[in-house]
């Protein structure tokens, strides 16, 4: 039904003043950096577009995009996104994150991977897109994760860090607000090459409406501006300069 509605909208809507409904999926671990700026930008630029922003686990977003329930989704390129059009947005560094006054915190700007692994780590479960990449880099370094608490929910993971149950290795975006308030501390992990590629995806088999195309461009513009301004900490834009 959504695809039929989108098809009707594509025929009737204006290219100069796009309207209609656009559904965008965003992972829990990226919403802290992107959700509010995107909502603000769409509302200000395209008031006639009904913007539906869905926050889900990456696996759920992939299924919804493939089924046509989403027009667009922000995903992480793990080499398994066949069937989607991909627009690389950002390379996002993974960092060592603790409560600001944690027993696991380091006072330095960077920490070695070996030192980080000595802490009790709180990480997303193995089904989460970030965890396999962390495990792979640890194995390549000839190391192992000895103490780990598996938590899938970003909200619960934050609570565990604030309770000083351990540290985490993740991109900064889910913790931006806490870091800006001085409640958490993020340190680079030296010589680890721990990062993830953030991509904007659409379904190859379902053409985008004018409204979805407008939102697609706006998502790319917003991510470029967040990187240029330094508001997306640890992120490097993969988009050409405008």
């Amino acid at each position: 039904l959504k695809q039929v509605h989108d098809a009707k909208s594509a025929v009737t809507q204006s290219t100069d003043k796009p309207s209609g409904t656009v559904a965008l999926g965003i992972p829990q671990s990226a919403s802290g950096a992107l959700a509010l700026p995107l909502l603000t930008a769409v509302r200000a630029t395209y008031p006639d577009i009904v913007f539906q922003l869905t926050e889900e686990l990456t696996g759920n977003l992939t299924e919804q995009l493939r089924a046509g329930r989403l027009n667009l989704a922000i995903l992480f390129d793990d080499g398994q996104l066949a069937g989607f059009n991909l627009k690389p947005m950002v390379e996002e560094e993974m960092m060592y994150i603790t409560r600001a006054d944690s027993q696991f915190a380091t006072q330095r700007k960077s920490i070695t991977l070996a030192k980080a692994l000595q802490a009790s780590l709180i990480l997303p479960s193995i089904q989460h897109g970030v965890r396999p990449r962390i495990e792979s880099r640890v194995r390549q370094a000839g190391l192992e994760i000895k103490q780990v608490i598996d938590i899938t929910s970003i909200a619960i993971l934050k609570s565990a860090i604030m309770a000083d149950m351990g540290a985490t290795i993740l991109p900064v975006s889910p913790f931006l607000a806490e870091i800006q308030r001085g409640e958490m501390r993020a340190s680079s992990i030296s010589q680890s090459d721990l990062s993830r590629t953030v991509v904007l995806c659409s379904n190859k088999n379902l053409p985008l409406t004018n409204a979805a195309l407008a939102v697609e461009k706006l998502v790319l513009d917003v991510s470029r501006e967040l990187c240029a301004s330094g508001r997306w900490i640890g992120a490097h834009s993969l988009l050409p300069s405008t």
Side-chain angles (χ1 to χ4, degrees):
L1 288 173
K2 182 182 185 308
Q3 293 172 33
V4 170
H5 177 75
D6 286 348
K8 290 180 178 178
S9 296
V11 173
T12 59
Q13 66 184 226
S14 166
T15 56
D16 297 327
K17 195 176 181 182
S19 62
T21 300
V22 178
L24 170 71
I26 187 169
Q28 292 179 346
S29 60
S31 63
L34 281 169
L36 185 57
L38 286 178
L39 284 169
T40 304
V42 172
R43 185 172 181 179
T45 311
Y46 299 114
D48 294 326
I49 290 179
V50 178
F51 186 48
Q52 298 177 344
L53 189 59
T54 300
E55 183 188 74
E56 288 272 9
L57 294 174
T58 304
N60 295 340
L61 294 177
T62 302
E63 293 173 7
Q64 291 180 38
L65 185 62
R66 188 168 286 120
R69 294 195 295 275
L70 293 173
N71 300 101
L72 299 161
I74 294 168
L75 301 172
F76 309 118
D77 189 359
D78 57 0
Q80 301 181 27
L81 296 177
F84 299 140
N85 295 309
L86 309 181
K87 292 186 181 297
M89 294 167 49
V90 162
E91 191 70 23
E92 195 174 17
E93 179 186 1
M94 294 191 207
M95 303 181 80
Y96 178 76
I97 300 167
T98 65
R99 195 176 75 185
D101 60 349
S102 169
Q103 59 180 312
F104 306 105
T106 176
Q107 300 306 312
R108 300 184 177 185
K109 292 184 178 180
S110 67
I111 185 173
T112 65
L113 182 58
K115 185 70 174 177
L117 294 177
Q118 291 178 12
S120 178
L121 290 179
I122 308 167
L123 297 173
S125 61
I126 199 67
Q127 294 85 5
H128 194 281
V130 171
R131 180 69 175 275
R133 179 160 295 197
I134 295 172
E135 297 268 9
S136 174
R137 292 292 184 271
V138 169
R139 286 194 301 270
Q140 288 174 12
L143 302 169
E144 61 178 322
I145 301 174
K146 295 181 179 179
Q147 306 175 64
V148 64
I149 303 171
D150 289 321
I151 298 178
T152 298
S153 164
I154 290 295
I156 298 174
L157 192 149
K158 284 184 181 182
S159 297
I161 291 175
M162 292 306 297
D164 206 22
M165 295 177 66
T168 193
I169 296 174
L170 280 177
V172 169
S173 51
F175 312 99
L176 276 177
E178 289 80 6
I179 290 171
Q180 289 168 350
R181 290 196 298 265
E183 298 169 358
M184 290 187 183
R185 180 192 302 272
S187 302
S188 296
I189 302 174
S190 59
Q191 300 177 339
S192 66
D193 192 31
L194 268 170
S195 66
R196 67 179 180 185
T197 305
V198 183
V199 294
L200 181 59
C201 301
S202 59
N203 192 319
K204 286 182 179 179
N205 300 317
L206 300 172
L208 294 177
T209 63
N210 289 335
L213 286 169
V215 170
E216 179 184 58
K217 182 179 182 303
L218 196 58
V219 171
L220 300 178
D221 289 343
V222 167
S223 70
R224 184 190 291 109
E225 193 278 328
L226 287 173
C227 290
S229 66
R231 286 188 290 158
W232 193 343
I233 300 172
H236 168 69
S237 178
L238 299 176
L239 298 164
S241 301
T242 54

